[in-house]
Amino acid sequence: MTATTKTSTPMTPNRTSRVEATIARRKAEGGGALIGYLPVGFPTLAESIGAAVALAENGVDIIELGLPYSDPVMDGPVIQAATQQALANGFRLRHGIEAVAAITARVDAPVLVMTYWNPILQYGVDRFADDLLAAGGAGLITPDLIPDDAADWFAASDRTGLDRVFLAAPSSSDERLAHAVEVSRGFVYAVSTMGITGARSDVDSAARVLVDRLRLAGATSACVGLGISTPEQVREILGYADGAIVGSALVKALSDGGVPALGALAARLAAGATGIRAAV
């Protein structure tokens, strides 16, 4: 594996989604996409760039780069601690753009930015979209932005062709799931369990039901996140979903053992993402 207010329906831009293409390629190979999350600026900005590169070099297909935020309502203790350290080190939003540019200059894996919405509003939605595109970024994952309130982001992402990944939860109604499928581009982020992020010993069975519901709503790319930490869990998820998203386990590996430990875990997780569909 190589590193490579309710609104009207958004327009379809003239740009192929590299994220969707990557997921489709991995499915065609008989596996599924492994998506790895790391926060920008942890332990330092330079080290976070090197760590993200190491993910791609060790089999992670898509990089999810988190922008540190002072009120991370969805993040568990491991990620909160890392982002708080990044903020204490002086992280600024422009550092996120710099990191995307540095990573995409070194590896081919698409880089999605995971961010709460308020920092983007403060930066300027159009300005951020333009800067992210210029840096080689693929798009945004926006955990606290619902499609009903995303008119500005729809306009900016339609203009630039950036992906927009919205979240779907087990508690979502069928109507809301259908809306998320309709407006997402890249994939729909299926939250595997209710609560905050963090590695768990098992993955909530609600994830499979949620992916089935997203399929019925028309989703062609549904990726599962929250709580995935082992190759066995990656393999389990990819038996029914198109991608597995790992965050806290990777951040902990980086915190405990630096880039070597991070790379070793990424390689083990990537092994779990290979040959899934041939085996089930």
Side-chain angles (χ1 to χ4, degrees), residues 33-52:
L34 176 61
I35 303 168
Y37 166 93
L38 290 174
V40 184
F42 174 79
T44 66
L45 181 59
E47 288 173 297
S48 67
I49 292 168

Side-chain angles (χ1 to χ4, degrees), residues 234-257:
V234 169
R235 180 171 291 269
E236 175 189 349
I237 291 293
L238 294 181
Y240 58 86
D242 305 301
I245 304 166
V246 183
S248 293
L250 291 170
V251 177
K252 187 174 188 305
L254 178 61
S255 178
D256 291 348

Side-chain angles (χ1 to χ4, degrees), residues 110-172:
V111 178
L112 285 167
V113 169
M114 195 289 287
T115 180
Y116 294 95
W117 193 240
N118 188 59
I120 306 302
L121 286 177
Q122 297 301 315
Y123 192 93
V125 177
D126 284 313
R127 177 189 170 205
F128 190 88
D130 289 339
D131 289 353
L132 180 60
L133 182 65
L140 295 182
I141 300 170
T142 51
D144 65 341
L145 180 70
I146 61 174
D148 308 63
D149 298 329
D152 289 346
W153 175 224
F154 286 149
S157 55
D158 280 341
R159 179 176 57 78
T160 57
L162 290 168
D163 284 345
R164 46 178 181 251
V165 177
F166 289 100
L167 272 61
S171 59
S172 300

Side-chain angles (χ1 to χ4, degrees), residues 12-250:
T12 300
N14 295 318
R15 182 178 183 235
T16 301
S17 167
R18 291 180 58 225
V19 169
E20 287 182 3
T22 298
I23 293 171
R25 173 179 59 80
R26 293 294 294 121
K27 289 167 62 178
E29 293 170 350
L34 176 61
I35 303 168
Y37 166 93
L38 290 174
V40 184
F42 174 79
T44 66
L45 181 59
E47 288 173 297
S48 67
I49 292 168
V53 170
L55 289 184
E57 291 177 340
N58 284 279
V60 169
D61 301 295
I62 298 165
I63 297 168
E64 179 184 341
L65 207 60
L67 299 184
Y69 183 49
S70 58
D71 186 25
V73 294
M74 186 178 166
D75 296 331
V78 172
I79 293 176
Q80 280 196 31
T83 57
Q84 290 303 312
Q85 180 173 327
L87 290 169
N89 289 342
F91 173 83
R92 297 292 182 268
L93 207 58
R94 59 181 171 81
H95 295 143
I97 298 294
E98 292 170 8
V100 172
I103 295 163
T104 57
R106 295 173 60 183
V107 298
D108 293 331
V111 178
L112 285 167
V113 169
M114 195 289 287
T115 180
Y116 294 95
W117 193 240
N118 188 59
I120 306 302
L121 286 177
Q122 297 301 315
Y123 192 93
V125 177
D126 284 313
R127 177 189 170 205
F128 190 88
D130 289 339
D131 289 353
L132 180 60
L133 182 65
L140 295 182
I141 300 170
T142 51
D144 65 341
L145 180 70
I146 61 174
D148 308 63
D149 298 329
D152 289 346
W153 175 224
F154 286 149
S157 55
D158 280 341
R159 179 176 57 78
T160 57
L162 290 168
D163 284 345
R164 46 178 181 251
V165 177
F166 289 100
L167 272 61
S171 59
S172 300
S173 67
D174 290 343
E175 180 183 14
R176 296 203 70 83
L177 291 184
H179 194 206
V181 169
E182 180 184 21
V183 299
S184 291
R185 183 167 58 245
F187 60 89
V188 182
Y189 192 128
V191 180
S192 67
T193 188
M194 301 302 291
I196 59 174
T197 62
R200 294 170 173 82
S201 59
D202 59 352
V203 178
D204 200 307
S205 61
R208 185 186 293 267
V209 175
L210 178 56
V211 171
D212 287 344
R213 292 176 64 205
L214 287 168
R215 300 281 191 224
L216 290 173
T220 57
S221 292
C223 301
V224 173
L226 298 193
I228 304 169
S229 60
T230 68
E232 293 75 20
Q233 289 173 339
V234 169
R235 180 171 291 269
E236 175 189 349
I237 291 293
L238 294 181
Y240 58 86
D242 305 301
I245 304 166
V246 183
S248 293
L250 291 170

